[in-house]
Amino acid sequence: MNKPLTTPSSYDVTKVRADFPILAREVHGKPLVYLDSAASAQKPQQVIDAITRVYSHEYANVHRGAYYLSETATAAYEAAREKVRGFINAAHVSEVVFTKGATEAINLVAATWGRKFLKEGDEIVLTTVEHHSNIVPWQLLREAVGCVLTVVPVAADGSIDIAEFAKAIGPKTKLVAVAHVSNVLGTVLPVRDIADLAHAAGAKILLDGCQGIVHAHVDVQDLGCDFYVFSGHKLYGPTGIGVLWARQELLEAMPPYQGGGDMIDTVTFAKTTWAPPPAKFEAGTPPIVQAIGLGAAIDYLNSLDRVAAAKHETALLRYAMSSLQQVPGIRLIGTAPGKAAVQSFVMDGAHPHDLATVLDRSGVCVRAGHHCAQPLMDVLGVTATTRASFGIYNTMAEVDALIAALRRAQEVLL
Ligand code: 7TS
């Protein structure tokens, strides 16, 4: 996720951009400059076509029809699960549970594994940089079982020292739940080392991979984690679909999350038995088309040179960091070594919301606010930041457009 300063010659960003129809549109009469992929990425035509094809020709409910169309839809839904398995190198396809997003996946783990296996006084280790999705479900669990949340601090540059984890993880730790990559700072956490510390203490580790999976190749077995979650919509796929990956034995030991159709083995009024995972965790009609769309996004990403794409993103980040630093009054937030292509900043005299609104008039889309990481904002001593995040389709010219728009914004706001 780091090294060279320039985009590899093998990476043709113009060709990639041509796959994303929305990038050709204008906003307020200006070419769209989309720098908010960390919130949600745009979709390639291949994903849009896959969704249209299913609804136009192949749509039916899954796992219940004896007829051709339902069998076709079931096969496509289950093929998407296999694509996810391959993408993250899970050992078994049954370890891949479809959810509506990363948020639901974390809530699922907290409500099932957490309620069954944690008791009063047990500790969960988090970090300051977590998204609310990886804080609030654990607070709900704390209310239910009386567990304790321990928070690992972040250094001023946004990095997190592994020694802090060594201090925080102890005999009472049952779970370490941390972001793979921070959505505000871009920091890549030393997750393999954290996993080793967690396991040495007899704890499990959950990785919130929302931002991690989009910038780097993820191999859940190599990472050594127990749970890995992510959302499809940040990975160039549709909204309404996410993934919980967990080791088979954990899924087997966990009680169901929701009850309903598809998650049962047999039902009587006296007693119901569960289907094996992943069906046990997929009650009701699942997000069929969204899962197939996620499969198409994975096919699309696999068709690219992902190593070259990651180098391109790093080159964009480095160019953005050095260009932003040349704008008077701008302070970068998050400069940890080896970070991912997400850059927060604040500008003297301008509130991030006002700044984002003015940038929008130049066609530049950035996120402003607390980024669902209010505890991190408190520690950083700011109420909000402006954030530019880069995807596989962004260009150096778009970084220039951001900088030009910032300079215009300074004329308007200051
Ligand atoms: N975890 C991280 C690290 C995230 O960045 C996000 C979304 C989530 C969890 C929640 O994902 P969801 O798909 O379930 O909502 N992050 C952002 C963001 O940075 N700007 O908008 C959403």
Side-chain angles (χ1 to χ4, degrees), residues 36-40 100-106 129-134 179-184 208-212 229-234 241-242 342 367 371-372 387 389:
D36 198 19
S37 297
S40 202
K100 81 178 160 70
T103 299
E104 187 179 51
I106 298 172
V129 308
E130 301 311 316
H131 188 280
H132 296 166
S133 300
N134 196 30
H180 187 179
V181 170
S182 158
N183 68 317
V184 178
D208 171 357
C210 270
Q211 304 295 339
V229 308
F230 63 94
S231 290
H233 68 97
K234 295 183 201 284
I241 185 75
V342 171
R367 170 113 196 248
H371 314 287
C372 298
R387 181 190 68 187
S389 54

Side-chain angles (χ1 to χ4, degrees), residues 266-273:
T266 57
V267 179
T268 66
F269 278 107
K271 182 174 167 59
T272 291
T273 54

